[in-house]
Amino acid sequence: MCRCTDKSDDATLSSSNNTATVDDIISGINKVSLEDGSNKTPPRGIIGGENINSEKKSTSCDQNLESTDQVGVDTSSGSAADSDMVSKEADSDADTLEICANCGKEGANNTCNKCEQVKYCNAVCKKRHRHKHKKDCEEHLRCVAEVQEEEIRRDAELHDLELFKQPPTIDDDCPICFQRLPFLDTGKRYKPCCGKVICSGCIHAVELSDEDALCPFCRTPTPYTEDENVRQLMKRVDAGDAEGINNLGFYLSNGMNGLSQDYAKALELFHRAAELGNITSHYNLGNVYYNGRGAKIDKKKAINYYELAAMRGLVEARHNLAIIEKRRGNIYIGRAIKHYMIAVEGGSNISLANIQKFYSCGRVTKDEYTKALRAYQKYLDEVKSTQRDHAAAAREDYKYI
């Protein structure tokens, strides 16, 4: 404030000095003119211009601030007025959009039922304008349908890219021999005492050396009765073990280990295990909805669960998807073969047998069949062992290939 005041005072002083100088000059000019005998006076415009400029120069800092504030007020009020005008124009445009396509009256609210692009006053105008609007309406619907079909096609392509890409290997290594677990359920066992999945070769080796048949991993005695097995399993369920929850659901679904068949409870357990990330439970849910055991048959939902399990590496789910595609008709055989090929890489000998059938009837090329044989041989090299061979020879339920 002090600086502004000082500058204002200086400006005023400067302005007064300039004014005095100009007056002297004018009076001198007039005196010279009188002496020369001339009555001419300087043009008033020049004098007025000088006075106006001097007045502008004498404007103080406070006056500038005041003028600035006034401009700001004027600008804001102008913006408000402009915004009001814009809003009025928007309202006017909105009203213009609702003009009857037939008679041109405003306030039309009866929309075309098909394209919803034009409006009418009433049903009478809509009927009268139908023959004119029919072609545009059909063209609009055709364009919309093409866009939707393209979106569906693109979504299907992206889905297939995810579905048919190489899945991860679901079977971990045996925690005892550190060799890949086999695909067949008879080649491995889930131990409810510790929650580990152990290959049949390691289990059989412990059975030969230990009369008590202790668990190869945690050394807990193996239960001999169904009640003891269920009690151990329930401990795993209470601990939140996803594999144990899925196994209990499987026992209830099939009425195994002395448990009464309970589809509803089994379905609940499958969903619970799936939420915990168990892959096999997705496959079991697919079976429930595909066969209607515990829930209403829903093929679409079943396929969705199969696909979730297959994309995460479950061979059984991949094999089921191949069967479903094959049943849909010849145009889907190519998709079925893709599923079979991926299942073979995971160790499914049944899928390999189906590839062989397709090769014999000419639906699979020699290169594709050779690729399947090599993939299955690679799987065998990873799971075969002398210990597992001994177990398979000793007991049929220890078969692993």
Side-chain angles (χ1 to χ4, degrees):
M1 294 296 292
C2 293
R3 291 183 179 180
C4 291
T5 304
D6 292 341
K7 288 183 180 180
S8 176
D9 293 338
D10 292 341
T12 306
L13 290 173
S14 260
S15 176
S16 63
N17 292 335
N18 290 338
T19 304
T21 303
V22 172
D23 292 338
D24 293 339
I25 293 171
I26 294 171
S27 62
I29 293 172
N30 293 334
K31 186 183 292 184
V32 172
S33 300
L34 291 173
E35 290 176 356
D36 292 341
S38 173
N39 294 327
K40 294 181 180 180
T41 58
R44 296 181 60 86
I46 297 175
I47 298 172
E50 290 291 334
N51 288 336
I52 291 171
N53 290 337
S54 65
E55 288 176 3
K56 287 184 178 179
K57 290 180 181 178
S58 65
T59 302
S60 66
C61 191
D62 293 336
Q63 290 173 341
N64 290 335
L65 291 175
E66 290 176 0
S67 63
T68 303
D69 293 339
Q70 291 175 356
V71 170
V73 171
D74 292 339
T75 303
S76 62
S77 62
S79 299
D82 292 340
S83 62
D84 291 338
M85 292 176 64
V86 170
S87 62
K88 289 178 181 179
E89 289 176 1
D91 295 337
S92 177
D93 291 339
D95 293 337
T96 305
L97 291 176
E98 300 193 0
I99 292 177
C100 178
N102 181 58
C103 64
K105 293 181 179 179
E106 295 182 357
N109 56 8
N110 196 327
T111 309
C112 175
N113 297 330
K114 293 183 178 180
C115 67
E116 298 182 354
Q117 298 298 303
V118 295
K119 294 186 177 182
Y120 302 98
C121 297
N122 47 47
V124 176
C125 284
K126 182 189 293 187
K127 186 175 181 180
R128 289 177 179 175
H129 192 255
R130 183 178 301 167
H131 67 284
K132 296 181 180 179
H133 175 60
K134 182 178 180 181
K135 185 176 180 180
D136 293 338
C137 184
E138 292 176 351
E139 180 65 18
H140 175 77
L141 294 176
R142 184 186 64 81
C143 293
V144 171
E146 287 180 355
V147 171
Q148 291 177 347
E149 288 177 1
E150 180 62 23
E151 291 178 353
I152 293 172
R153 185 190 64 80
R154 183 58 181 163
D155 290 342
E157 288 180 356
L158 295 175
H159 176 74
D160 283 352
L161 286 175
E162 187 70 20
L163 179 61
F164 289 110
K165 75 178 184 181
Q166 187 62 37
T169 302
I170 186 176
D171 292 322
D172 297 327
D173 296 338
C174 173
I176 307 299
C177 65
F178 300 106
Q179 195 170 356
R180 180 180 175 180
L181 288 169
F183 157 69
L184 292 180
D185 289 336
T186 53
K188 54 192 174 184
R189 289 285 189 282
Y190 171 77
K191 289 292 186 178
C193 50
C194 55
K196 299 295 182 181
V197 180
I198 304 172
C199 74
S200 57
C202 292
I203 295 175
H204 180 66
V206 172
E207 289 175 348
L208 292 176
S209 61
D210 193 344
E211 295 181 356
D212 294 334
L214 301 177
C215 172
F217 188 83
C218 66
R219 309 302 293 172
T220 300
T222 301
Y224 288 99
T225 64
E226 292 178 343
D227 290 342
E228 291 177 355
N229 188 30
V230 171
R231 277 199 296 269
Q232 279 191 354
L233 183 61
M234 290 304 299
K235 291 181 180 179
R236 301 304 308 169
V237 172
D238 294 339
D241 181 18
E243 186 67 27
I245 296 170
N246 175 72
N247 283 358
L248 180 59
F250 183 77
Y251 293 158
L252 289 170
S253 179
N254 295 277
M256 299 171 60
N257 280 355
L259 297 175
S260 301
Q261 199 169 53
D262 190 340
Y263 289 140
K265 183 63 176 178
L267 181 62
E268 178 184 342
L269 291 170
F270 289 150
H271 279 294
R272 180 181 169 190
E275 291 174 357
L276 293 174
N278 184 262
I279 303 174
T280 311
S281 60
H282 286 95
Y283 169 74
N284 289 328
L285 285 169
N287 289 335
V288 167
Y289 288 106
Y290 195 85
N291 300 312
R293 298 178 61 185
K296 185 179 179 180
I297 292 178
D298 190 337
K299 298 293 180 68
K300 185 176 180 180
K301 186 178 289 189
I303 292 173
N304 181 51
Y305 279 117
Y306 285 148
E307 289 179 346
L308 288 174
M311 286 188 288
R312 295 179 62 186
L314 192 67
V315 179
E316 297 93 328
R318 183 71 65 175
H319 179 79
N320 281 11
L321 288 174
I323 294 174
I324 292 171
E325 295 289 358
K326 185 173 68 173
R327 289 176 179 175
R328 292 174 67 184
N330 291 333
I331 61 174
Y332 298 99
I333 291 297
R335 296 173 62 85
I337 292 172
K338 288 182 181 180
H339 284 304
Y340 280 137
M341 294 290 289
I342 297 175
V344 168
E345 295 176 6
S348 175
N349 55 355
I350 304 175
S351 294
L352 179 62
N354 282 280
I355 292 291
Q356 186 177 12
K357 290 179 181 178
F358 283 131
Y359 173 67
S360 62
C361 64
R363 293 185 178 274
V364 170
T365 64
K366 183 178 180 180
D367 291 340
E368 290 175 331
Y369 182 47
T370 303
K371 181 181 178 181
L373 289 174
R374 289 176 178 172
Y376 189 71
Q377 185 60 50
K378 180 183 178 182
Y379 159 78
L380 291 179
D381 294 340
E382 293 178 356
V383 300
K384 278 185 69 69
S385 71
T386 303
Q387 188 169 268
R388 292 176 181 179
D389 288 339
H390 290 327
R395 292 177 55 173
E396 182 67 23
D397 56 348
Y398 281 169
K399 182 180 177 181
Y400 72 101
I401 56 175

